[in-house]
Amino acid sequence: MSSLDWLAVNADTAAKRLLGASLIREIDGQLVSGKIVEVEAYSQDDPASHTYRGKTKRNASMFGSAGHAYVYFTYGMHHCVNIVSDQEGFGSGVLIRALEPLEGLELMASNRGQSNFSFTEAQIKNLCSGPGKVCQALKIDRALDGHNLTQPPLRLEKGEALAADQIVQTTRIGISRAIDHPRRYYLWGNSFISKK
DNA sequence: CCGCAGATTGACT
DNA sequence: GTCAATCTGCGGG
């Protein structure tokens, strides 16, 4: 079932389509999921993209077909997950920067190394408000690099269509090149994003 | 509340 | 050898 054809489009279009979709992780029979509320687009023609200088061992899955995962390790301690977009052979993907937690919040907290999780607003907002946090909460690492997102233990489900005015477009975070390219998108008014 | 330094590993030059 | 699509805690205002 290649039901992720809707991601075989340029990274910016895929990014906007991914807002509102759900990422569902299964860990030992337990479900952990969240709604995608903040993303960034990267592609081979973009100096800020890992694929800008061509295919390497690290970024190979970003050149694969749409709807697969690209997971990389950075800063010596964090993983980040992208959803591959566009055509096979063109290095393109969408970084998942934040989720609105839906299911398995206690397991998320546990995965994040937090104890005494008590569902306060502040604690819930701290679970998945950043790309490193998302991977920690959903226990995503390079073992899932290249994974097909139509299959367990990590799946993607399309959300409801959004009105254009629900999406905010702005510049990306944490990069040093192409810092003026407005390729970051988030849901307007959503309080689970990493930053305004 | 805000800004910044430190942590720590692997991939690429 | 350099540097990274980050997070956290701490110190100052």
Side-chain angles (χ1 to χ4, degrees):
Chain A
M1 74 188 213
S2 59
S3 57
L4 296 178
D5 299 342
W6 51 280
L7 294 171
V9 292
N10 70 72
D12 292 275
T13 301
K16 287 181 270 190
R17 289 182 179 179
L18 280 163
L19 289 175
S22 295
L23 200 55
I24 303 153
R25 173 82 161 111
E26 194 177 320
I27 305 168
D28 297 327
Q30 296 201 67
L31 287 184
V32 177
S33 68
K35 180 168 87 170
I36 297 171
V37 298
E38 179 184 346
V39 295
E40 285 179 2
Y42 289 90
S43 52
Q44 203 168 343
D45 51 15
D46 174 357
S49 175
H50 289 169
T51 53
Y52 186 60
R53 292 164 192 276
K55 192 172 181 176
T56 65
K57 177 183 175 182
R58 180 204 203 194
N59 66 25
S61 57
M62 222 171 151
F63 288 81
S65 58
H68 289 243
Y70 163 51
V71 182
Y72 68 91
F73 180 70
T74 190
Y75 291 105
M77 60 184 77
H78 294 291
H79 292 277
C80 295
V81 62
N82 290 243
I83 293 173
V84 178
S85 57
D86 220 311
Q87 301 302 305
E88 189 164 352
F90 184 71
S92 157
V94 178
L95 173 70
I96 305 302
R97 285 199 56 91
L99 301 178
E100 176 178 333
L102 294 176
E103 301 173 279
L105 307 215
E106 286 165 308
L107 187 50
M108 282 186 188
S110 165
N111 290 340
R112 297 251 303 119
Q114 298 168 1
S115 50
N116 305 318
F117 186 73
S118 53
F119 295 88
T120 66
E121 190 178 340
Q123 286 179 321
I124 296 173
K125 286 182 179 177
N126 187 40
L127 289 174
C128 298
S129 54
K133 296 180 183 180
V134 168
C135 283
Q136 203 179 8
L138 301 204
K139 230 172 183 167
I140 294 172
D141 61 26
R142 286 220 82 193
L144 287 168
D145 184 45
H147 176 74
N148 181 339
L149 294 169
T150 62
Q151 308 289 334
L154 183 63
R155 291 186 299 113
L156 182 68
E157 276 185 12
K158 194 172 185 176
E160 294 176 21
L162 298 169
D165 64 2
Q166 293 301 108
I167 298 174
V168 179
Q169 175 175 9
T170 181
T171 52
R172 293 171 292 188
I173 294 175
I175 55 174
S176 53
R177 287 182 290 186
I179 57 175
D180 56 325
H181 294 204
R183 305 191 78 186
R184 171 170 173 253
Y185 304 88
Y186 63 86
L187 289 180
W188 189 88
N190 188 282
S191 61
F192 296 92
I193 60 176
S194 67
K195 193 182 172 200
K196 287 196 175 178

